[in-house]
Amino acid sequence: MINFLILPILIPFLTGILLIFFAKNVSLSRWIAGISSFITIIVSALLVQKVRVDGIQTLDVSNWQAPFGITLVSDMLSALLVLTTSIILFTCVIYSFKTISKEQERFYYYSAMNFLAVGVIGAFTTGDIFNLFVFFEVLLMSSYVLLVHGGSKIQLRESLKYILVNVISSALFVITVAYLYSVVGTLNMAHISVRLSEIGESGIVTVIAVLFLIVFGLKGAIFPLYFWMPGSYYAPPAPILALFGALLTKVGVYSIMRTYTLFFLNDKDFTHQLLGILAIITVIVGVIGAIAYSNIKKIVIYNIIVAVGVILFGVAVMTPESLTGSVSYLIHDMIIKAALFLLIGIIIAITGTSDLRKISGLIKRYPGLGWTFFIAALALAGIPPLSGFIGKLLIVQEGFKEEHYWGAGIVLMSSLLVLFSIMKIFINGFWGTPQAYKDEEAVPVRKLLVAPVILVIISVLYGAGSEFVLPYISQAAETLSNPSIYIEAVLKE
Amino acid sequence: MKTNDIILQTTTKVVVFIIILFSIFIFFKGHYTPGGGFVGGLLTSGAIVLLLLAFDMKTVAEILPINYIYMTATGLLFAVGTAAGALFFNVPFLTHAFGDVYLPILGKTSLHTATIFDLGVFLVVVGVTMTIIQTIGGDE
Amino acid sequence: MEIVMAFVIGILFMSATYLMLSKSLLRIIVGTGLLSHGAHLLILTMGGLKRGTVPLLDEKASAYTDPIPQALILTAIVISFGVTAFFLVLAYRSYQELGTDNMERLRGTEGND
């Protein structure tokens, strides 16, 4: 079936539309949302296997031949990210059953979630730079809706800023595409790559590279463009925060990965060095934030920034191994960030506060929550048998090999400080004298734990089963480090 | 607030039908020449907005008892449905089918599944625009 | 012609930046509108300003215009239409809820200690 790779986009899309009709019937829409996101997982897993066996899948939408129409491309990287996205969508949906009030669920909550997934999966799948912009807008529109969902004062205020930042970055995206189009005269990403390599080193291409870095950096929260994130992500409730933290910034990171490995290969001394420097400063800023705050939401939000820096440092180093590390770390980070946000959502639900100083002794009353959090924290820092270790190892190792001593050293140091920042939550929040909280009886902790436990188990398997996973990851990295594979698959030359 | 807008109301009663007819014309004209679902939809919503201006929301809701959010969703279903129809024929997503058919009165007509897609766009545009205007204009 | 367009786009961007730096929320929204107009004009200019006929319909024509920039602008206009509408509704709603449209008073410091 030639249309197979469109299914992970189509299923959430149709579900989102159907859920508009059934929004008033909450239990029915829960069933539909849950089942369809589970089907999406199965379909995307099949897609990964198909890419593994048959190589890169392409689809010339509407039957227009490759450089002329829009092409959807599923290489291993995008297939893996699509699979991860659908897993996170599923867990956030089942977590929402018990956390979001029925009033809110009735207000097209699951529709917005599904449309967000359409945008994210589409952005991972598309092979056309303008279509990437369109999918960005789809996911941004849904993220605006989700961010204000509930309409509390803080959400309204923060979404105003969030929308403003994203409108500006979208305008910049359009501007950048306009420049790029005037230089290469095509929008197909593979074709752009061919044309740019014919042009060779030129000033305007470097300008476009930096503009793309700004556009995607704004979405992906790299230094100095991360300023909007801690405020905006602080506002929404846990399941939405998990979706945002795990998916939205990663779309920006994926786009930087894609453009910097496919397009801008002629002036690496400037573009990739800039990316590397910014990535390192991003790591430093993120670590400072993670250590400085004593608010659990803020600590994990700043940890997103750290992870973005680490992944992009791997991209900046640009060896096959470091790219393998980046891809591996990217997938690990999506899963573990979603798990952590869902877990701190439970903590906030129990204690009614996100201030670390008002929380203590949770592990006595909620051992399951405590140990899940502990494993997730270790995985986040990249302790050996867990996921995150392989990725970081490869990135640091290649950093030293390529003589980026400072960068690799800082990435290495950052793991320690990340561990410290997350252990701070564990030590302060879970140890100490147990206290009673006001509304804790009403919190169905066991049912809420299902979603994060699924994610943590996946993360553990992902780390322990590296032997099995690594071939998939290196296939993804191979396409990144050798663009001609991608180009040949798309243009069929 | 009560204003004497008898002229506006009387004119509206006639003009609305002209605008809607014109929007349908534009919608079908979009088949081969400029026009289509988006412009047609905007024109139709313009007509409804004119009604809203001349009369008040309650009256318009009585004349046109439409849930615009469902209208948007129906439009999306039409559009995605036509696009996904390609899946059953194992041709790439969004591929359209067309052919010339002889119809009783119209004679030789070229029919195109893109029209159904465009109808979806039309419905989405009307639905979304009216939802926005109702949200802003809903309360005094 | 390109020079004129460059100036027009520059002035649009300039006014947009000025408006977006102001405190009033409504001015900011107008600013984002101007910014997207500037971006759309930029696409049109970057695609090459030339006179010609519609591509593919008339095979004997001496020059064709490039349809892609126009398609891109159409898409971008629709998107910015949607986003601006949403932004306006949100601004209205938050004015009702928060009682102000002054960005100075919309700072947030929750969880910053």
Side-chain angles (χ1 to χ4, degrees):
Chain A
M1 183 161 153
I2 50 171
N3 284 307
F4 197 72
L5 67 130
I6 196 107
L7 287 179
I9 305 176
L10 203 57
I11 295 171
F13 196 11
L14 281 174
T15 316
I17 298 169
L18 274 184
L19 285 175
I20 295 179
F21 291 109
F22 300 123
K24 301 297 168 207
N25 187 342
V26 174
S27 55
L28 182 63
S29 39
R30 282 179 182 172
W31 274 104
I32 296 177
I35 290 171
S36 93
S37 52
F38 191 73
I39 295 174
T40 317
I41 296 182
I42 295 170
V43 170
S44 13
L46 289 174
L47 180 63
V48 169
Q49 201 51 40
K50 201 174 162 85
V51 174
R52 175 89 185 124
V53 177
D54 301 341
I56 298 176
Q57 302 287 310
T58 63
L59 173 66
D60 298 333
V61 170
S62 196
N63 226 348
W64 289 93
Q65 245 182 19
F68 306 112
I70 293 171
T71 311
L72 299 178
V73 186
S74 249
D75 63 344
M76 193 40 117
L77 174 63
S78 86
L80 283 174
L81 291 177
V82 167
L83 177 61
T84 322
T85 307
S86 50
I87 292 171
I88 289 167
L89 175 72
F90 174 68
T91 49
C92 286
V93 164
I94 59 171
Y95 186 86
S96 301
F97 295 165
K98 293 287 165 199
T99 43
I100 304 293
S101 71
K102 278 197 175 172
E103 279 310 306
Q104 282 191 47
E105 281 176 292
R106 229 171 257 147
F107 242 84
Y108 311 106
Y109 175 77
Y110 295 112
S111 291
M113 257 182 157
N114 273 293
F115 288 134
L116 183 84
V118 172
V120 173
I121 293 175
F124 288 146
T125 311
T126 185
D128 182 284
I129 196 79
F130 197 77
N131 198 229
L132 181 67
F133 164 74
V134 174
F135 277 120
F136 259 107
E137 289 303 315
V138 172
L139 77 91
L140 284 175
M141 263 307 213
S142 338
S143 76
Y144 304 153
V145 174
L146 284 173
L147 193 58
V148 289
H149 213 277
S152 68
K153 283 189 178 175
I154 167 169
Q155 281 178 303
L156 282 169
R157 194 190 64 213
E158 291 307 327
S159 35
L160 285 177
K161 301 171 197 168
Y162 177 76
I163 294 179
L164 181 60
V165 168
N166 279 305
V167 167
I168 294 172
S169 98
S170 302
L172 269 175
F173 198 162
V174 175
I175 291 166
T176 316
V177 171
Y179 284 145
L180 187 63
Y181 185 75
S182 77
V183 176
V184 294
T186 177
L187 294 168
N188 184 298
M189 280 163 38
H191 203 208
I192 291 173
S193 175
V194 174
R195 291 265 172 96
L196 280 179
S197 62
E198 283 165 6
I199 291 170
E201 194 182 329
S202 104
I204 183 81
V205 178
T206 312
V207 170
I208 293 168
V210 175
L211 271 170
F212 267 128
L213 190 59
I214 294 173
V215 171
F216 297 136
L218 259 170
K219 320 251 168 178
I222 64 171
F223 176 86
L225 306 163
Y226 69 92
F227 56 87
W228 55 271
M229 199 176 89
S232 302
Y233 279 20
Y234 186 77
I240 300 174
L241 180 58
L243 268 184
F244 282 19
L247 300 180
L248 292 199
T249 50
K250 303 304 181 290
V251 180
V253 173
Y254 162 82
S255 310
I256 293 179
M257 253 177 156
R258 187 60 92 199
T259 48
Y260 270 66
T261 54
L262 194 60
F263 296 174
F264 307 115
L265 298 167
N266 296 318
D267 193 10
K268 271 193 213 167
D269 283 343
F270 181 75
T271 50
H272 285 67
Q273 200 171 4
L274 180 71
L275 181 66
I277 293 168
L278 288 180
I280 290 307
I281 304 177
T282 311
V283 171
I284 296 173
V285 171
V287 164
I288 291 175
I291 294 174
Y293 283 105
S294 60
N295 182 305
I296 48 179
K297 262 193 192 178
K298 290 258 159 150
I299 293 174
V300 185
I301 289 170
Y302 273 97
N303 269 310
I304 301 178
I305 301 177
V306 181
V308 168
V310 172
I311 297 163
L312 290 182
F313 179 69
V315 178
V317 173
M318 264 298 259
T319 62
E321 281 78 24
S322 80
L323 285 171
T324 313
S326 283
V327 174
S328 159
Y329 198 79
L330 177 61
I331 295 167
H332 143 79
D333 193 63
M334 287 167 83
I335 296 170
I336 209 70
K337 282 283 147 55
L340 273 176
F341 278 121
L342 296 180
L343 285 168
I344 63 168
I346 302 177
I347 298 177
I348 292 170
I350 294 172
T351 61
T353 175
S354 56
D355 190 345
L356 201 47
R357 282 163 296 192
K358 293 180 189 151
I359 307 169
S360 69
L362 282 175
I363 203 159
K364 202 99 188 201
R365 315 264 296 268
Y366 305 102
L369 176 64
W371 290 114
T372 320
F373 189 87
F374 185 68
I375 298 171
L378 290 186
L380 178 73
I383 302 293
L386 299 164
S387 68
F389 171 68
I390 300 281
K392 230 172 206 172
L393 178 76
L394 285 170
I395 293 172
V396 171
Q397 196 183 337
E398 287 302 300
F400 280 122
K401 227 185 240 171
E402 296 288 305
E403 302 181 346
H404 299 288
Y405 296 115
W406 274 101
I410 288 169
V411 169
L412 202 57
M413 274 295 292
S414 80
S415 326
L416 205 61
L417 295 170
V418 162
L419 185 64
F420 169 71
S421 75
I422 205 81
M423 275 303 143
K424 196 168 69 177
I425 301 182
F426 188 73
I427 291 171
N428 283 328
F430 286 93
W431 288 355
T433 39
Q435 22 172 324
Y437 301 96
K438 222 168 54 187
D439 300 320
E440 62 180 317
E441 301 305 325
V443 181
V445 177
R446 269 166 196 281
K447 284 178 185 158
L448 284 180
L449 262 178
V450 173
V453 164
I454 293 175
L455 285 171
V456 169
I457 289 173
I458 290 171
S459 160
V460 170
L461 290 178
Y462 180 64
S466 295
E467 201 72 7
F468 172 73
V469 180
L470 212 56
Y472 291 85
I473 308 275
S474 19
Q475 192 186 346
E478 200 188 335
T479 323
L480 286 181
S481 55
N482 189 359
S484 57
I485 302 175
Y486 186 93
I487 294 167
E488 269 164 34
V490 177
L491 298 179
K492 302 186 180 78
E493 277 162 354
Chain B
M1 193 176 70
K2 218 171 159 79
T3 48
N4 188 5
D5 40 25
I6 189 86
I7 297 179
L8 181 64
Q9 289 185 354
T10 321
T11 331
T12 303
K13 281 177 196 162
V14 183
V15 169
V16 159
F17 290 103
I18 301 176
I19 301 178
I20 290 180
L21 268 179
F22 185 61
S23 82
I24 295 170
F25 167 69
I26 287 278
F27 170 72
F28 282 113
K29 196 172 163 9
H31 200 51
Y32 283 129
T33 43
F38 186 72
V39 193
L42 278 183
L43 275 168
T44 305
S45 35
I48 304 175
V49 170
L50 186 63
L51 273 179
L52 280 173
L53 283 177
F55 305 93
D56 58 316
M57 270 190 131
K58 242 188 199 163
T59 328
V60 178
E62 270 170 28
I63 307 169
L64 299 166
I66 302 169
N67 184 335
Y68 290 106
I69 293 176
Y70 287 166
M71 191 171 177
T72 314
T74 319
L76 279 175
L77 263 188
F78 271 51
V80 182
T82 356
L87 263 63
F88 297 108
F89 300 97
N90 207 26
V91 285
F93 186 73
L94 265 171
T95 309
H96 289 284
F98 54 92
D100 292 331
V101 186
Y102 283 93
L103 290 180
I105 303 165
L106 296 167
K108 188 185 167 193
T109 323
S110 71
L111 290 181
H112 205 300
T113 51
T115 312
I116 309 173
F117 184 88
D118 228 21
L119 183 66
V121 175
F122 182 93
L123 291 174
V124 169
V125 171
V126 175
V128 168
T129 320
M130 291 319 295
T131 313
I132 293 165
I133 285 164
Q134 279 186 336
T135 323
I136 301 183
D139 40 25
E140 294 297 311
Chain C
M1 195 62 190
E2 271 84 358
I3 297 290
V4 181
M5 288 297 269
F7 275 105
V8 173
I9 295 162
I11 290 168
L12 277 173
F13 281 170
M14 190 178 69
S15 343
T17 316
Y18 173 73
L19 283 170
M20 283 192 295
L21 289 175
S22 64
K23 287 175 195 165
S24 156
L25 195 49
L26 206 58
R27 278 167 183 254
I28 292 176
I29 297 175
V30 174
T32 58
L34 285 184
L35 184 70
S36 52
H37 287 326
H40 302 155
L41 273 184
L42 186 74
I43 302 184
L44 194 68
T45 319
M46 290 315 241
L49 297 170
K50 56 183 178 196
R51 286 172 176 280
T53 174
V54 188
L56 302 179
L57 276 187
D58 186 5
E59 284 178 7
K60 291 180 202 109
S62 57
Y64 297 119
T65 46
D66 187 355
I68 291 209
Q70 297 170 20
L72 300 190
I73 293 171
L74 189 65
T75 317
I77 286 176
V78 174
I79 289 171
S80 71
F81 163 73
V83 173
T84 312
F86 185 83
F87 205 174
L88 273 171
V89 174
L90 184 72
Y92 178 64
R93 185 63 39 160
S94 54
Y95 177 70
Q96 282 179 325
E97 284 285 317
L98 304 165
T100 179
D101 68 338
N102 186 342
M103 288 308 267
E104 281 284 302
R105 293 174 59 193
L106 293 176
R107 290 163 187 268
T109 48
E110 287 90 354
N112 269 0
D113 43 75

